[in-house]
Amino acid sequence: ILGDTGNDVNEYSLSSAFDVSTASYVQTFAVGSQETNPQGIVFNNDGTKMYITGYNGDDVNEYSLSTAFDVSTASYVQRFLVSSQEAIPSGIIFNNDGTKMFITGWSGDDVNEYSLSTAFDVSSASFAGNSERFSVATQETTPSAITFNNDGTKMYILGDTGNDVNEYSLSSAFDVSTASYVQTFAVGSQETNPQGIVFNNDG
């Protein structure tokens, strides 16, 4: 769990997989030295890298973990600025092999797609231009989080204005220029400031 008050990542252990009722607190890793308004978090596939977005630095901060998914072993590596595309970055996710990175935020109300020449290395990221930007403003003006299905043919945007999850279909996997809106699911009865979204492995 990433927090904007503590400026940290809080790690929990679950004795039963994916069952939050079995969760217990383990430890905390502070990110305040790099970002005082952290908004989004994601890991690489094997848990040896962690990425934090924030709107103080308008960037993606990359950390290396010597023990997979153990935040106590995290160390700061580098940052990648996204301010030219998004001044209030909130959500972040990668495609399956780490050669694409996606950032959403409250300033542009869009999804920005970046290509990485070295997988999961943010220093190798590049933004090609408007062809790699997809607006979600018609559905959501404060997008807070983003995720995809396993094969990249569906994209989901969580919104703080509509208090909902917006689903999009992509005709080319992980290519936001091919995205089209499908439908919405409201979560306002449970949460009026939704921030994060993720699915289990089989959706």
Side-chain angles (χ1 to χ4, degrees):
I1 301 292
L2 181 66
D4 193 11
T5 298
N7 298 323
D8 53 19
V9 180
N10 298 281
E11 179 184 323
Y12 301 81
S13 178
L14 285 75
S15 56
S16 295
F18 293 106
D19 182 349
V20 297
S21 70
T22 69
S24 58
Y25 173 72
V26 178
Q27 58 196 348
T28 292
F29 176 75
V31 298
S33 296
Q34 292 80 44
E35 181 55 59
T36 55
N37 294 112
Q39 298 297 304
I41 181 173
V42 71
F43 290 83
N44 69 342
N45 295 334
D46 64 5
T48 58
K49 287 190 175 184
M50 176 176 70
Y51 309 84
I52 303 289
T53 61
Y55 63 79
N56 183 48
D58 299 335
D59 54 14
V60 178
N61 296 283
E62 178 184 322
Y63 301 83
S64 178
L65 286 76
S66 55
T67 302
F69 295 109
D70 180 348
V71 298
S72 71
T73 69
S75 58
Y76 175 69
V77 178
Q78 58 194 348
R79 68 192 287 238
F80 176 75
L81 285 172
V82 298
S83 54
S84 295
Q85 293 80 45
E86 179 56 57
I88 313 177
S90 53
I92 177 174
I93 196 167
F94 291 84
N95 68 342
N96 295 333
D97 63 6
T99 59
K100 287 189 175 184
M101 178 175 70
F102 305 86
I103 302 289
T104 189
W106 292 12
S107 177
D109 303 332
D110 53 17
V111 179
N112 296 284
E113 177 184 319
Y114 301 82
S115 297
L116 286 75
S117 55
T118 302
F120 293 109
D121 180 350
V122 298
S123 70
S124 72
S126 61
F127 180 73
N130 288 334
S131 64
E132 294 189 335
R133 177 181 285 122
F134 177 75
S135 176
V136 298
T138 302
Q139 289 81 43
E140 181 57 55
T141 55
T142 50
S144 54
I146 179 174
T147 193
F148 289 86
N149 68 342
N150 294 335
D151 65 7
T153 59
K154 288 189 176 184
M155 178 175 71
Y156 307 86
I157 300 293
L158 183 67
D160 194 20
T161 297
N163 298 324
D164 53 19
V165 179
N166 297 283
E167 179 185 322
Y168 301 83
S169 178
L170 286 75
S171 55
S172 294
F174 294 109
D175 181 350
V176 297
S177 69
T178 69
S180 58
Y181 173 70
V182 178
Q183 58 191 348
T184 292
F185 175 75
V187 298
S189 295
Q190 292 79 45
E191 180 55 57
T192 56
N193 294 111
Q195 297 299 306
I197 179 174
V198 70
F199 288 84
N200 71 341
N201 296 334
D202 63 4

